[in-house]
């Protein structure tokens, strides 16, 4: 290195800028390959000056390529991809530029498919994708990058951005069962944004005669819930009649509740609780809400026998819960506590069960499931 530096000083004295650039470039490459101070700020600043001061040939392109490698090594993806663009503008036909483009394409894939995008804020990852989406590979890899990015947006509740990415996939990129599955995720995003009509439209446009049973089940749940949210109770119930499962029971019960079909709603909520009354485990918040809704529905339908049955089955468990007083109010004769009963009905009715449904759906289907828990449907 000492000999190289002495030779470098002689070249500087001769004033040959081309030779200076070549030697400086070799020194940078030597330091880069030997590690240590390869990514120091000083080296990057010197290399930037070289790229700016020498224009129009392979020296500039070699400096840009090395700069891009250093930026990517530092996880400074934005500057790395910007350098690639500069090289393309400088000389798109150069072999060096083509090599640099291949390297940047690989870095783009590793960023979004290799999980490195999780190291940067979600908004920055989205900006990187939109600013450099020309690096997106064609075919299945490109589609997977977009869906992976959409999942990241979902994780941080950037639902509008996730919806835009998924809608592009559904409208322009996918076919068959894969399109139907991505459309289900898009419908979920629409429901999260309180747009049930748009959820129904996207599910209708992507309907397939033959689908994997789990995909068909997911789409059925979403469409039935969206129909119920738009007041089309009979259509929702007709759709649910072709499937079975605890989630189907829950959606059916909520639809009947929204349609004020109190007797059927009370039975649906009670059926959905299954044998929770006989379990050793305490009732969770969702189960307690179901108990209260079932009891209220029976009270509103004036079904005294069913109301007494609910009280007998769940009195002990509800007495040990924060909802003990509420349970007493809804299961005691209404004329004796009409004011408290009316207030409680209003409070329970105001509970937004759509959020609970969507959160459960998200944990089960939208984000990768953690276990082999699969639910099949009769389609």
């Amino acid at each position: 290195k000492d000999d190289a530096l002495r030779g470098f000083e002689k070249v500087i004295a001769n004033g040959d800028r081309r030779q200076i650039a070549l030697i400086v470039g070799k020194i940078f490459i030597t330091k880069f390959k030997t590690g240590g101070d390869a990514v120091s700020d000083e080296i990057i600043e010197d290399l930037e000056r070289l790229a700016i001061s020498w224009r129009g040939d392979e020296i500039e392109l070699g400096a840009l390529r090395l700069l891009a490698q250093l930026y990517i090594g530092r996880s400074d993806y934005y500057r790395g991809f910007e350098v690639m663009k500069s090289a393309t503008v400088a000389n798109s036909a150069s072999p060096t530029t083509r090599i640099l483009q291949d390297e940047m394409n690989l870095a783009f894939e590793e960023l979004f498919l290799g999980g490195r995008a999780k190291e940067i804020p979600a908004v920055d990852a989205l900006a990187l994708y939109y600013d450099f989406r020309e690096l997106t590979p064609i075919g299945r890899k490109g589609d997977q990058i977009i869906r992976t990015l959409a999942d990241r947006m979902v994780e941080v509740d950037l639902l509008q951005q996730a919806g835009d990415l998924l809608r592009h996939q559904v409208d322009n990129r996918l076919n068959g069962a894969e399109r139907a599955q991505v459309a289900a995720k898009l419908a979920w995003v629409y429901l999260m944004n309180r747009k049930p009509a748009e959820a129904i439209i996207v599910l209708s446009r992507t309907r397939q005669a033959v689908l994997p049973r789990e995909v068909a089940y997911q789409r059925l749940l979403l469409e039935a819930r969206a129909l119920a949210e738009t007041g089309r109770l009979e259509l929702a119930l007709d759709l649910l009649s072709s499937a079975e499962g605890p989630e189907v029971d829950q959606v059916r019960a909520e639809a009947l509740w929204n349609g004020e079909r109190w007797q059927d709603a009370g039975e649906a909520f009670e059926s959905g609780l299954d044998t929770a009354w006989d379990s050793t485990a305490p009732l969770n918040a969702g189960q307690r809400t179901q108990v209260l809704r079932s009891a209220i529905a029976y009270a509103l339908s004036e079904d005294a026998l069913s109301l007494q049955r609910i009280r007998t089955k769940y009195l002990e468990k509800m007495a040990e819960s924060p909802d003990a007083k509420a349970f007493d109010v809804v299961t005691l004769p209404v004329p004796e506590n009409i004011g408290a009963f009316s207030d409680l009905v209003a409070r329970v009715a105001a509970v937004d069960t759509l959020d609970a449904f969507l959160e459960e759906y998200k944990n089960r289907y939208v984000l990768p499931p953690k276990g082999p828990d699969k639910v099949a449907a009769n389609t």
Side-chain angles (χ1 to χ4, degrees), residues 272-305:
L273 287 162
D274 198 19
T275 58
W277 64 275
D278 198 31
S279 171
T280 57
L283 299 176
N284 59 39
Q287 290 172 320
R288 296 197 304 272
T289 298
Q290 281 186 255
V291 170
L292 292 175
R293 288 199 170 211
S294 180
I296 289 171
Y298 285 141
L300 292 174
S301 66
E302 300 181 355
D303 184 348
L305 289 177

Side-chain angles (χ1 to χ4, degrees), residues 10 78-79 86-87 155 159 192 195 221 242 289 298 325:
K10 292 180 181 179
Y78 202 95
R79 297 182 74 181
S86 298
E155 288 176 359
L159 298 176
M192 286 290 291
K195 298 178 180 179
L221 291 174
S242 63
T289 298
Y298 285 141
K325 183 177 180 180

Side-chain angles (χ1 to χ4, degrees), residues 158-346:
L158 294 174
L159 298 176
Q160 182 62 50
Q161 293 82 349
D164 291 342
L165 292 169
L166 294 172
R167 186 171 59 251
H168 176 78
Q169 289 273 287
V170 169
D171 292 345
N172 303 292
R173 299 284 300 175
L174 303 176
N175 294 293
E178 190 174 22
R179 182 172 182 245
Q181 185 170 20
V182 174
K185 186 180 292 187
L186 177 58
W188 174 85
V189 170
Y190 283 144
L191 279 174
M192 286 290 291
N193 283 332
R194 298 304 190 266
K195 298 178 180 179
E198 293 189 30
I200 294 170
I201 290 171
V202 74
L203 290 171
S204 176
R205 286 196 299 108
T206 57
R207 207 179 305 280
Q208 299 286 321
V210 179
L211 285 173
R213 297 179 73 188
E214 183 173 318
V215 175
Y217 185 76
Q218 294 170 26
R219 290 171 58 90
L220 178 144
L221 291 174
L222 291 166
E223 187 171 3
R225 186 70 200 230
L227 287 168
E229 290 296 315
T230 57
R232 287 178 268 185
L233 174 62
E234 295 304 325
L235 285 175
L237 294 176
D238 183 60
L239 187 63
L240 292 169
S241 66
S242 63
E244 297 177 353
E247 292 163 305
V248 170
D249 292 340
Q250 184 65 28
V251 174
R252 182 184 292 112
E254 294 293 344
L256 291 165
W257 174 276
N258 291 340
E260 298 185 0
R261 287 176 45 176
W262 302 122
Q263 182 67 39
D264 293 335
E267 293 172 358
F269 281 121
E270 184 178 3
S271 176
L273 287 162
D274 198 19
T275 58
W277 64 275
D278 198 31
S279 171
T280 57
L283 299 176
N284 59 39
Q287 290 172 320
R288 296 197 304 272
T289 298
Q290 281 186 255
V291 170
L292 292 175
R293 288 199 170 211
S294 180
I296 289 171
Y298 285 141
L300 292 174
S301 66
E302 300 181 355
D303 184 348
L305 289 177
S306 295
L307 188 60
Q308 184 58 42
R309 183 178 64 250
I310 280 285
R311 181 169 177 82
T312 302
K313 289 168 64 175
Y314 288 99
L315 178 59
E316 183 177 348
K317 283 188 173 295
M318 294 297 285
E320 301 169 355
S321 76
D323 294 313
K325 183 177 180 180
F327 184 71
D328 283 341
V329 169
V330 297
T331 55
L332 290 174
V334 172
E336 298 180 9
N337 58 110
I338 186 66
F341 178 82
S342 299
D343 292 342
L344 184 59
V345 169

Side-chain angles (χ1 to χ4, degrees), residues 17-27 50 59:
R17 292 181 66 248
R18 180 176 180 82
Q19 289 299 318
I20 291 173
L22 286 169
I23 292 176
V24 170
K26 289 179 180 179
I27 291 174
L50 173 61
I59 294 175

